[in-house]
Amino acid sequence: MTMPALEDLRALGREDLSKAWQALHGKAPPPRMSQVFMRRVLAYEIQVRHHGGLTKTALKDLARKEGKRKQSSKTARGLKPGGRLLREWNGTTHVVDVTEDGFLWRGQTYRSLSVIARTITGSHWSGPRFFGLTKTRAHK
C-alpha cells in the first residue's frame, strides 16, 4: 500500500491504517494502538515527507531543553526504591519511604515529594529541597 493522502486518513479503518503503518515502519502497529493515535503518527509522517521535518536548530533546541528538564528532576528520580527520607518539622519526625510507585508517607503513596512537603508544612515547598536533596546556593 502506498502512503495515503493526509485528507484521506480520517476515512480509513483499522485494516487500512495498519497497512499504511506497515508500509511506513516495515512492521505492524502495536496491537492495542488506537486508530486515533495511528492516524496522528501517519499524519505527522505524511507532513514530514511533504514539507520536511524539523530543522537541525529546532532539534538541537529540543535536545537541550530535554537535557535541562532531566537535570532539574535528576535528584528526585535518582532515589532508589527502598530508600528512606527523614525530616523533622515542628517537633515531629516525618519518614518517607521511596517505592517503585513513588513515595510512601503515613500509609499513602504520593507521586511527588512536593505534595508531601506542602501537606506537612501547610505552604508551598519544593519537596526535594524540603527533604534536603538539593544543594542550596552559598550566599556571596
Side-chain angles (χ1 to χ4, degrees):
M1 173 180 201
T2 61
M3 191 57 62
L6 189 59
E7 57 272 5
D8 296 335
L9 280 179
R10 192 172 278 162
L12 297 180
R14 177 169 290 283
E15 186 176 332
D16 288 331
L17 288 170
S18 293
K19 288 177 184 176
W21 186 280
Q22 177 79 32
L24 179 67
H25 296 288
K27 60 183 177 182
R32 295 184 183 197
M33 181 175 281
S34 71
Q35 291 180 48
V36 171
F37 192 69
M38 277 195 278
R39 282 187 188 96
R40 287 181 182 173
V41 171
L42 291 169
Y44 174 79
E45 292 299 331
I46 291 168
Q47 291 176 62
V48 165
R49 288 180 180 194
H50 186 264
H51 300 291
L54 295 172
T55 64
K56 288 181 181 181
T57 303
L59 290 170
K60 285 180 184 178
D61 286 345
L62 288 170
R64 188 178 71 249
K65 288 178 183 177
E66 176 67 11
K68 285 182 180 178
R69 187 188 66 76
K70 284 182 179 177
Q71 186 178 18
S72 67
S73 61
K74 183 179 177 183
T75 304
R77 289 188 183 173
L79 296 172
K80 294 181 181 176
R84 179 168 274 182
L85 304 170
L86 299 170
R87 176 64 150 93
E88 189 273 329
W89 181 260
N90 290 340
T92 303
T93 301
H94 296 274
V95 179
V96 176
D97 292 313
V98 182
T99 68
E100 292 285 342
D101 300 323
F103 305 98
L104 182 65
W105 177 63
R106 292 188 173 173
Q108 187 173 350
T109 299
Y110 296 84
R111 291 179 57 202
S112 165
L113 281 174
S114 296
V115 172
I116 297 170
R118 193 172 314 132
T119 304
I120 292 170
T121 64
S123 62
H124 181 74
W125 267 86
S126 158
R129 188 168 190 183
F130 179 78
F131 285 99
L133 300 174
T134 59
K135 295 179 183 178
T136 56
R137 285 192 245 171
H139 296 288
K140 293 183 180 181

